[in-house]
Amino acid sequence: MGSTFWANAISSECLSDAPTRGSSPSRWPARGEINLDRVNQRFRPPNSSNFSWSNAASPQCKYCGSRYSISCVLALLPAQAVCEKLCEVFFSTVFPLTPVLHLPRFARDFRTFWNETGSPIGHDAEVGALLRRNPSFVCLLSSILFASLVSAPPSRLPNILEGDRDLTPEKMYFVAMVSATLTGFPRRPSLDTLAAYIVAQSQFIREEDFSDGPDFISTAFRIALGMGLHRQLPHATFTVEEREMRRRLWWYILHLDIMSSASSGLSPLFIDEKMANADPITQYDQLDDDPHAGVDREVDARYLVASKRYDVTKEIRRIIRSHFEDVFKSPTQVRVFAEELKDIAERTSATIEMLLDTVASPSNNIVDRISASSDGSRAPSTKFERVWKTDPAGKDEEVMRFCSWSALLLHLMVHKAFGSLYHPLFREPSMAYDLHLRTSAVKHAQAFLQVFIRVCDDPVSEPFHWMYPGTYQPLQAVALLLADILQHPSSNEASLSRGLIDAIFDMYELDEGMVSRNDPPKRNLSALGKDAWSMLARTRKRALERMGQDSHVFLPQRLAMSDFCLCGERIVAHSLSHVTTNEPPFSPSSHGQWMDKMPTALDAFGLAEEGQRPTVAQDEAGGSTGFDWLEWDASVGPDIGLMP
């Protein structure tokens, strides 16, 4: 989001009043000195996270007073019942968006581990055959427990922890670091330690910090290259489960690489086309001794959604490479790419329709209890082991919620792909003044914000707040709409853009950024994040001055609660329409009809007469939005605030 970022649509003139004193940390901050032996440097959280893991750390084991061994680490794990509950949280919140594991393989190791060690685990517990063969399982398990503690909705944690006050995210992160060190990561990585590294570090990344932050992506990428995850090795002795896990790890790393590049403006780490054409992930978990190998299997919704996300990611990568290679020299070339993006949009829409049909089936109800459905004749002994079927005959609340939410997510990814095409071109005069390109860019940015708000604030989104809006924020789309208002303050799109921007700020919290209104996990806003939001706030003030409107009037647009996206696509299943929104349903048959039904600026902002301006913005219920601009100005300081 900085002034030198090539995809920042806001012109440099509008950033000239940026603060110059103490606003940005050093680009390469020195790591602090910590009195802790044998701690894995690569596993440490980024400095911008403010995660106080060292408070739970000790250089010696508290039981024996010696340096940590595998027995010492095992004694720090919680009881089996708590571990199982946290694993259920992980596979219903984190794993659907980070599908890097082979689920039956992990479940089998999980059962074996507890059968061999027993619960609770004593300090002198004997190390079983599983850990002698695969000691990295402890690192993977502790990383999963850490991710569950961090990502779980705060209201659910007391029931999960069963009064265990010593079980904290800091403690589990320390266990993951120590166990990674004991197993030789990253010098001697394994599939489990690489997965543990990705799972744990993904909880710290923030979109506004991608330019400074996640060196863990480059580390994971280089480790993956060293392990040959990108290579096809038909004669290797890998099992079926290991081959699939290798593919899932590789594709998720590539996905992270592209998402960080789109946000930071840095080049993708991989440029070889062969790397992007690796075998795709399968949409089910095939077993080594599976008698149905090669036969159609029950699709798991989590893998289905992941494969479609990766398809869109490949297109975003191609666009970003074209920006770096200066391919877009004329509006005609941009239109060619836009037409090609429509193909991936149509294929994604087919998947979205299938997901929505699953949710809208008469046999499904969003409030039904979880059923322990599974694949084939293998009955799972743990709840987290079951398959998330897309079969409409199922009645699984978690699956239905995920299908409903992931339909929004896939639609959001499509608009992000179009945004990656248009955003960097907004500073080019020949592009910005092309009416077709400008209109397309603005409409996709508006649609992105509409769906982003729904992704973050829909009732079905609660399990995934750790990523949306935890990891990702709508910074670029807001910047593009503000830039457009500055250039075209009287355009037909300006009023809707202003309403969507205010809706984003309506969900803004000081020191956190944009967060959901419903029980969100704590989100720490770094110094770079505060600078980014302050820049957007300053630009909003200038843009509204150009429109002749008071920047202190807060008028959020409630369009996000509609069943349809601005592009005309249905984004909510029919059966959920009255559950998630109070708006009367209607079915536009085209984009034009949808735009005809759009409220005018006065209706949308609740103004009775043209020119009437309330001093305090009102929400739909007639109450104040609760955003205190005076508090905002006081927090960011007089030189960068909204008020002079």
Side-chain angles (χ1 to χ4, degrees):
M1 284 300 299
S3 59
T4 60
F5 178 22
W6 54 272
N8 184 2
I10 301 176
S11 62
S12 57
E13 290 79 6
C14 297
L15 306 176
S16 59
D17 58 345
T20 57
R21 51 183 177 84
S23 60
S24 298
S26 171
R27 175 65 62 171
W28 307 110
R31 294 187 182 273
E33 293 294 329
I34 301 175
N35 295 322
L36 189 63
D37 295 336
R38 306 179 68 188
V39 167
N40 196 309
Q41 293 285 342
R42 291 293 184 184
F43 228 97
R44 290 184 180 180
N47 292 335
S48 60
S49 67
N50 298 321
F51 183 68
S52 57
W53 63 272
S54 59
N55 293 340
S58 173
Q60 290 89 27
C61 172
K62 65 178 182 180
Y63 297 107
C64 63
S66 302
R67 287 188 171 185
Y68 283 96
S69 65
I70 190 67
S71 298
C72 301
V73 172
L74 293 179
L76 298 176
L77 294 175
Q80 179 180 357
V82 176
C83 279
E84 189 165 330
K85 288 183 179 180
L86 288 174
C87 285
E88 291 174 13
V89 172
F90 174 82
F91 284 102
S92 62
T93 58
V94 179
F95 183 73
L97 301 178
T98 315
V100 296
L101 304 178
H102 189 280
L103 182 50
R105 177 178 180 266
F106 172 82
R108 185 176 62 246
D109 289 346
F110 183 86
R111 291 192 299 269
T112 303
F113 170 76
W114 287 108
N115 289 337
E116 292 179 349
T117 58
S119 180
I121 305 175
H123 177 265
D124 297 325
E126 181 178 356
V127 178
L130 171 68
L131 295 186
R132 295 182 186 276
R133 182 181 71 254
N134 181 23
S136 57
F137 175 79
V138 178
C139 181
L140 176 59
L141 177 60
S142 54
S143 293
I144 287 175
L145 300 181
F146 162 73
S148 301
L149 291 169
V150 172
S151 62
S155 60
R156 293 183 59 185
L157 284 178
N159 293 331
I160 295 173
L161 300 183
E162 298 181 351
D164 187 355
R165 296 185 178 181
D166 293 333
L167 183 56
T168 62
E170 292 80 8
K171 179 180 178 180
M172 283 299 99
Y173 191 79
F174 176 72
V175 173
M177 282 201 308
V178 172
S179 56
T181 304
L182 293 176
T183 55
F185 183 86
R187 294 182 180 274
R188 295 188 298 275
S190 67
L191 293 178
D192 282 353
T193 52
L194 178 57
Y197 181 61
I198 292 173
V199 166
Q201 295 296 315
S202 293
Q203 301 302 314
F204 296 114
I205 58 175
R206 296 289 182 262
E207 182 172 15
E208 60 267 25
D209 296 329
F210 271 141
S211 58
D212 266 3
D215 58 350
F216 104 85
I217 297 179
S218 60
T219 300
F221 180 75
R222 291 184 177 277
I223 292 174
L225 288 179
M227 297 175 68
L229 301 189
H230 63 296
R231 300 176 60 190
Q232 297 181 1
L233 303 172
H235 302 295
T237 59
F238 300 124
T239 65
V240 172
E241 298 170 356
E242 289 173 339
R243 285 198 296 269
E244 182 58 35
M245 190 170 173
R246 288 168 63 88
R247 286 192 291 265
R248 290 175 183 173
L249 284 167
W250 175 249
W251 275 107
Y252 186 73
I253 292 171
L254 296 192
H255 174 73
L256 277 181
D257 177 33
I258 296 304
M259 296 296 281
S260 66
S261 296
S263 299
S264 66
L266 302 177
S267 172
L269 293 173
F270 72 103
I271 58 175
D272 189 348
E273 287 295 334
K274 187 177 180 181
M275 294 183 181
N277 293 325
D279 290 339
I281 67 172
T282 58
Q283 298 178 7
Y284 57 88
D285 285 312
Q286 184 174 322
L287 306 178
D288 291 336
D289 57 349
D290 190 354
H292 303 289
V295 181
D296 289 341
R297 297 289 304 275
E298 189 72 47
V299 172
D300 191 303
R302 293 167 292 192
Y303 305 138
L304 170 65
V305 173
S307 64
K308 298 305 177 183
R309 289 167 63 201
Y310 300 158
D311 287 343
V312 180
T313 297
K314 287 181 62 176
E315 294 301 315
I316 297 177
R317 170 187 174 274
R318 189 169 65 92
I319 292 171
I320 293 177
R321 282 193 59 190
S322 299
H323 282 303
F324 278 103
E325 295 171 0
D326 200 20
V327 171
F328 304 113
K329 297 182 179 180
S330 69
T332 302
Q333 293 167 313
V334 179
R335 293 191 186 98
V336 170
F337 269 71
E339 288 298 321
E340 294 174 353
L341 277 180
K342 290 181 181 179
D343 294 335
I344 188 67
E346 291 177 358
R347 297 197 299 271
T348 306
S349 294
T351 303
I352 293 174
E353 287 298 324
M354 186 194 72
L355 294 170
L356 294 181
D357 289 344
T358 300
V359 179
S361 172
S363 63
N364 288 327
N365 190 320
I366 199 66
V367 297
D368 285 340
R369 291 185 177 182
I370 298 173
S371 64
S373 59
S374 62
D375 188 19
S377 59
R378 296 174 180 268
S381 59
T382 55
K383 288 184 178 180
F384 65 77
E385 191 178 351
R386 73 191 191 282
V387 178
W388 281 22
K389 296 183 179 182
T390 56
D391 182 8
K395 292 185 178 181
D396 192 323
E397 178 190 0
E398 287 182 333
V399 178
M400 295 304 103
R401 285 180 177 271
F402 177 69
C403 288
S404 177
W405 183 84
S406 59
L408 296 168
L409 176 63
L410 291 178
H411 197 75
L412 184 75
M413 289 288 295
V414 171
H415 286 300
K416 185 176 183 65
F418 279 98
S420 66
L421 174 63
Y422 292 123
H423 289 184
L425 303 175
F426 231 65
R427 282 188 175 182
E428 298 292 333
S430 61
M431 303 292 183
Y433 289 103
D434 184 283
L435 180 60
H436 175 76
L437 293 186
R438 175 195 158 269
T439 303
S440 298
V442 170
K443 287 182 178 179
H444 281 291
Q446 290 175 340
F448 181 90
L449 291 187
Q450 177 202 1
V451 181
F452 192 95
I453 295 171
R454 188 65 176 266
V455 163
C456 300
D457 218 32
D458 193 282
V460 300
S461 68
E462 181 183 11
F464 315 109
H465 286 163
W466 69 272
M467 179 171 280
Y468 287 91
T471 298
Y472 296 105
Q473 302 270 282
L475 303 176
Q476 293 180 26
V478 171
L480 187 144
L481 294 184
L482 288 172
D484 182 69
I485 293 175
L486 286 170
Q487 297 178 33
H488 307 280
S490 302
S491 67
N492 294 332
E493 298 85 9
S495 294
L496 177 58
S497 296
R498 185 259 168 97
L500 290 169
I501 291 169
D502 281 0
I504 294 295
F505 275 94
D506 189 28
M507 299 173 68
Y508 179 87
E509 292 290 338
L510 297 176
D511 298 326
E512 292 188 62
M514 179 182 174
V515 296
S516 174
R517 300 182 183 90
N518 183 23
D519 196 24
K522 179 69 175 179
R523 187 185 193 277
N524 293 319
L525 195 62
S526 67
L528 288 177
K530 293 177 182 178
D531 286 347
W533 281 102
S534 296
M535 180 186 69
L536 294 177
R538 293 193 307 273
T539 308
R540 175 186 175 275
K541 177 183 178 181
R542 183 173 299 186
L544 294 187
E545 289 174 351
R546 293 288 303 274
M547 294 179 68
Q549 299 182 14
D550 189 348
S551 62
H552 295 88
V553 177
F554 205 54
L555 302 168
Q557 169 64 258
R558 302 302 178 183
L559 180 63
M561 289 297 104
S562 173
D563 296 348
F564 290 86
C565 177
L566 278 168
C567 65
E569 295 284 340
R570 173 173 280 278
I571 55 179
V572 178
H574 292 280
S575 64
L576 295 183
S577 299
H578 301 290
V579 176
T580 58
T581 179
N582 294 323
E583 295 184 0
F586 60 90
S587 301
S589 58
S590 68
H591 189 179
Q593 290 178 339
W594 168 255
M595 295 303 291
D596 291 340
K597 291 180 179 292
M598 291 274 293
T600 64
L602 294 178
D603 293 336
F605 298 155
L607 304 182
E609 299 178 1
E610 185 174 358
Q612 181 180 355
R613 177 176 299 169
T615 56
V616 179
Q618 304 290 317
D619 62 16
E620 289 181 333
S624 173
T625 59
F627 190 91
D628 192 339
W629 286 108
L630 295 176
E631 182 182 1
W632 163 274
D633 292 330
S635 68
V636 297
D639 55 342
I640 60 175
L642 288 173
M643 299 181 65

